[in-house]
Amino acid sequence: MGNIIVLGSANMDMVMRTSRIPEIGETMQGEGFFLSPGGKGANQAVACAKMGADTWFMGKVGDDLFGQSLLDGLSGYGVRTDYLTREPNVTTGVAAITVCNGNNSIILDGAANQRVTPDYIRGYKQQLLSAAAVMLQLEIPLETVYEAVRMLKGNVPIFLNPAPAVPLDGEILQGVDYFTPNEIECRLYTNVEIRSTEDAFKALNILRDKGIRYPLITLGEKGIVYFNGTENVYKEARKVAAVDTTAAGDTFSGTLAAMIIAGKSMDEAVDLAQKASAIAVTRLGAQEAIPGAREILG
């Protein structure tokens, strides 16, 4: 099995639980504050590594305490950080996360993540082209994502998790192999409001018409729909009591990529990714909540 390069963001999450979301101008009591390594790119890299994939993270953090902490955390989970740069005189990305009744709201400051430029990744062109797969998200500059897709299209399988969702050029979508929006993000790319399985299959077909080989739409507690190479498939969600959904999508995306690269079929990979995501939401935090291969594979 070859290596997976995750090109994306690394943030320090600042998390607090509340009984409800405060109104504008309101101050209220929270509880359980903690710091947790996060960022969609870093989370997905940890998910890949915890599934046993040879995982390398490519991105930037600041030359500060948070940056060192994120680097140490990734290394501790088995993620290779040779391509992770510490940017001088820039702060590390942060995310302020409020957790309320198992759901969350998030405010991001990308900081060093915004220094992951097209020129930066061109310096790693050969490493990217030699990977077994490359994972992308949208918490780094969009022009860098575009550069990566143009560089890799037709040469390396591309996994794109379009979050946070922004409009994407049609030419870029044609270069994506695995596309994993949730139902809200999917609406931006299909103009379909998913209220039924029929709606979800319609959205899948629209994504395929845009040139995406394997679209997958996560539907939260309602399950998932995806194209497995032959037909559209719906799978129910695993029933769990959610505590914190912060890393649910990242756990799914990272586990999916690791399982596909390990040779699992799409149906097998989706089932294992669902299982991993269901376990992650029963725990607080991001990377520390992601389960390992022993929990998933038995």
Side-chain angles (χ1 to χ4, degrees), residues 163-234:
V166 296
L168 294 172
D169 186 272
E171 175 195 354
I172 297 303
L173 289 174
Q174 290 175 17
V176 174
D177 297 283
Y178 299 86
F179 190 68
T180 57
N182 64 28
E183 59 186 309
I184 304 303
E185 294 154 357
C186 181
R187 190 186 309 162
L188 177 64
Y189 305 109
T190 65
N191 289 319
V192 175
E193 185 168 351
I194 298 176
R195 297 176 177 173
S196 65
T197 303
E198 183 179 66
D199 292 337
F201 283 174
K202 178 181 178 182
L204 283 178
N205 291 335
I206 291 173
L207 293 173
R208 289 184 61 211
D209 287 344
K210 292 178 182 290
I212 297 165
R213 292 182 64 196
Y214 300 106
L216 306 92
I217 306 169
T218 56
L219 306 174
E221 62 184 16
K222 292 178 289 187
I224 185 171
V225 293
Y226 62 97
F227 179 68
N228 66 4
T230 303
E231 61 182 347
N232 290 336
V233 179
Y234 166 74

Side-chain angles (χ1 to χ4, degrees), residues 40 43-44 47 104 135 137 160-163 180-182 185 218 220 244-257 273-274 276-278 280-281 290:
K40 285 192 166 297
N43 291 347
Q44 291 177 22
N104 63 65
M135 298 194 70
Q137 320 77 34
L160 174 58
N161 176 225
T180 57
N182 64 28
E185 294 154 357
T218 56
D244 181 2
T245 60
T246 300
D250 297 331
T251 301
F252 178 90
S253 295
T255 304
L256 177 79
Q274 277 190 298
S277 183
V281 301
I290 300 171

Side-chain angles (χ1 to χ4, degrees), residues 47-68:
C48 288
K50 284 191 174 185
M51 289 302 116
D54 179 16
T55 308
W56 300 61
F57 181 75
M58 184 178 293
K60 292 190 177 185
V61 295
D63 189 18
D64 53 17
L65 290 175
F66 282 171
Q68 185 63 54

